[in-house]
Amino acid sequence: MANAATPGSGGGTEARERTAASGPDGTEGGLGGPRAMLDVASQVFGVRFPDDADIAEERQSLEDFLTPLDLTLLLPAPDELAALPDLYCHKADLIAIARATVGCDATDRWELGQRLLAHRLTHALLKTDPQRGR
């Protein structure tokens, strides 16, 4: 079960199509809907979800989500991070990101994500309060 999506609406294909075709106020022409959520989930998890899949939301506290800090992981300079390639382009780009941030050739996105949960930069970014600016 995936824990990272917004709940979709139940109610069969007709209800799903009606919801996907309507906007937030129920008018025609909206983007998204259950199929759009399933498509995003498919991109995130690397598998196609069928139209009748139920996607639920399960929230965790930040402390439960992050893993303990690993201070042995590299901390690249901001300009080095800015120069890194787009993660979704090529496998070589993923390797470059992994080398710069976790110091290994983590070619598996899941493995890289797990390692980044222990990175001090990830901790600092996720613990920043956008309302207070720190």
Side-chain angles (χ1 to χ4, degrees), residues 54-87:
D54 286 325
I55 298 182
E57 180 178 27
E58 183 177 309
R59 295 183 182 248
Q60 290 180 297
S61 69
L62 187 55
E63 291 73 27
D64 289 339
F65 177 69
L66 294 171
T67 57
L69 275 174
D70 180 350
L71 297 177
T72 65
L73 295 175
L74 302 173
L75 185 60
D79 59 330
E80 292 176 271
L81 287 173
L84 289 173
D86 182 357
L87 177 62

Side-chain angles (χ1 to χ4, degrees), residues 4-6 8 16 20 31-55 88:
T6 305
R16 273 190 269 284
L31 298 175
R35 181 68 253 165
M37 288 188 287
L38 294 170
D39 290 341
V40 170
S42 295
Q43 290 177 341
V44 170
F45 297 104
V47 294
R48 173 139 172 86
F49 288 89
D51 288 340
D52 62 348
D54 286 325
I55 298 182
Y88 295 102

